[in-house]
């Protein structure tokens, strides 16, 4: 999807808060160009980068940094200069930034985790979530192996969907199918959600906002609102908070055509 005929200085939709995770800049599967298009259409007072924005694991094994990845970084820095509050919570793939908690660079604050207060005064723990992944914490070699397997699945997806597009068949995701069908994967996701909900409860929060497992969802988990931002490798999803405090997941990969015009309210240069 290419850029649309809308000025970079005039986003069509504005939100109170925007949450983005798992962009994996530096990895060949990153769809930074789609996120760049998304940010041309959407703006927010506060933007949370909820981990794995840069993929240090991928960059260590093979340097990959196309112009679209650089453009996305510049876009975020430009939003910060224009007044957006941007908070970066590193994940396991950009764990090198965990040495810089409490620092402020280019208008972006780096923190371990934080609590976001919604427009309705509800409190949400914002955290990447990898510390609740037993594989990442206790078997890093297996986590790296799984990362390579995921990259392979992404490459296979592209091969299969090339032919699906030729016959007018919608996109199909091998990895998402596996997550939904394989019992162990379903159990893992369920355990992850329960662990994050318990951590939110420990912080006396009403909910939790996270990333890490590339599965965008908004649901209640034992009385705690669990929200996952998804990713910008396959699903291309972002979590947004409206001015009235309600949350929504936007799937940008579905926007194959220019979205309908939305009246601008106090739009600010992006």
């Amino acid at each position: 999807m290419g850029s649309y005929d809308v000025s970079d200085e005039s986003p069509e939709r504005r939100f109170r808060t925007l949450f983005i995770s798992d962009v994996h800049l530096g990895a060949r599967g990153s769809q930074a160009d789609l996120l760049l298009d998304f940010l041309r259409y959407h703006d927010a007072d506060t933007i949370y980068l909820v981990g794995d924005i840069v993929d240090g694991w991928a960059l260590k094994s093979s340097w990959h940094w196309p112009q679209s990845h650089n453009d996305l970084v510049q876009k975020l820095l430009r939003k910060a200069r224009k007044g957006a509050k941007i908070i970066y919570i590193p994940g396991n793939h950009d764990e090198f930034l965990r040495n810089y908690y409490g620092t402020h660079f280019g208008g972006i604050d780096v923190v371990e985790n934080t609590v976001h207060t919604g427009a309705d005064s509800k409190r949400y723990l914002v955290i990447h979530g990898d510390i609740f992944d037993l594989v990442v914490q206790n078997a890093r070699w297996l986590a790296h192996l799984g990362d390579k397997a995921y990259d392979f699945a992404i490459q296979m997806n592209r091969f299969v969907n090339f032919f699906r597009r030729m016959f007018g068949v919608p996109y199909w995701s091998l990895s998402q199918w596996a997550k939904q069908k394989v019992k162990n994967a379903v159990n893992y996701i369920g355990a992850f959600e329960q662990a994050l909900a318990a951590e939110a409860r420990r912080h006396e929060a009403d909910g939790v906002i996270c990333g890490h497992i590339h599965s965008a969802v908004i649901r209640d988990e034992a009385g705690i609102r669990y929200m996952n931002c998804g990713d910008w490798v396959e699903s291309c999803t972002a979590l947004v908070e409206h001015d009235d405090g309600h949350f929504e997941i936007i799937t940008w990969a579905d926007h194959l055509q220019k979205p309908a015009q939305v009246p601008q309210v106090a739009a600010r240069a992006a």
Side-chain angles (χ1 to χ4, degrees), residues 23-41:
V23 184
H24 290 274
L25 296 175
R28 296 186 184 279
S30 175
Q31 299 204 54
D33 54 340
L34 287 183
L35 179 53
L36 187 60
D37 264 335
F38 175 84
L39 291 175
R40 287 173 178 148
Y41 279 90

Side-chain angles (χ1 to χ4, degrees), residues 69-256:
H69 293 202
N70 190 60
D71 290 345
L72 178 58
V73 172
Q74 293 300 319
K75 179 69 170 176
L76 290 169
L77 291 173
R78 189 157 60 249
K79 283 185 176 292
R81 289 197 302 270
K82 294 294 184 179
K85 181 179 181 181
I86 301 183
I87 301 169
Y88 195 143
I89 300 165
N92 51 306
H93 283 259
D94 45 16
E95 61 189 351
F96 59 92
L97 289 172
R98 289 176 170 169
N99 294 321
Y100 300 97
Y101 288 149
T103 61
H104 180 87
F105 64 92
I108 299 175
D109 293 310
V110 181
V111 300
E112 181 176 7
N113 58 63
T114 189
V115 172
H116 170 73
T117 302
D120 55 3
S121 298
K122 291 185 177 179
R123 301 170 71 250
Y124 300 91
L125 173 65
V126 186
I127 187 171
H128 181 65
D130 62 288
I131 62 172
F132 298 94
D133 185 337
L134 293 178
V135 173
V136 170
Q137 294 302 309
N138 299 318
R140 289 180 64 84
W141 67 271
L142 186 58
H144 282 273
L145 181 61
D147 194 53
K148 295 295 183 184
Y150 182 71
D151 288 343
F152 176 76
I154 295 298
Q155 295 302 319
M156 288 299 297
N157 279 346
R158 291 180 175 178
F159 178 76
V160 171
N161 283 290
F162 171 78
F163 291 100
R164 290 175 68 89
R165 284 195 300 271
M166 289 179 61
F167 292 99
V169 181
Y171 177 85
W172 177 79
S173 168
L174 170 63
S175 63
Q176 292 294 329
W177 176 85
K179 287 178 183 178
Q180 294 170 8
K181 298 298 182 181
V182 178
K183 182 178 179 180
N184 286 343
V186 172
N187 290 341
Y188 162 78
I189 292 173
F192 179 84
E193 293 175 355
Q194 291 170 15
L196 267 294
E199 181 68 4
R201 191 175 293 107
R202 190 177 72 83
H203 281 77
E204 300 182 346
D206 300 288
V208 60
I209 297 170
C210 61
H212 186 57
I213 60 172
H214 295 206
S215 184
V217 69
I218 298 175
R219 68 159 55 98
D220 289 327
E221 178 65 45
I224 296 292
R225 176 58 57 91
Y226 169 88
M227 294 182 279
N228 194 298
C229 307
D231 69 282
W232 288 86
V233 177
E234 285 189 271
S235 58
C236 298
T237 54
L239 177 71
V240 299
E241 181 195 12
H242 294 265
D243 288 335
D244 61 0
H246 87 271
F247 288 81
E248 174 190 2
I249 291 172
I250 298 178
T251 304
W252 193 241
D254 289 344
H255 291 257
L256 298 180

Side-chain angles (χ1 to χ4, degrees), residues 4 6 11-13 37-43 252 258-259:
Y4 299 119
V6 174
E12 293 189 15
R13 302 186 71 188
D37 264 335
F38 175 84
L39 291 175
R40 287 173 178 148
Y41 279 90
H42 302 83
D43 202 359
W252 193 241
K258 180 179 175 180

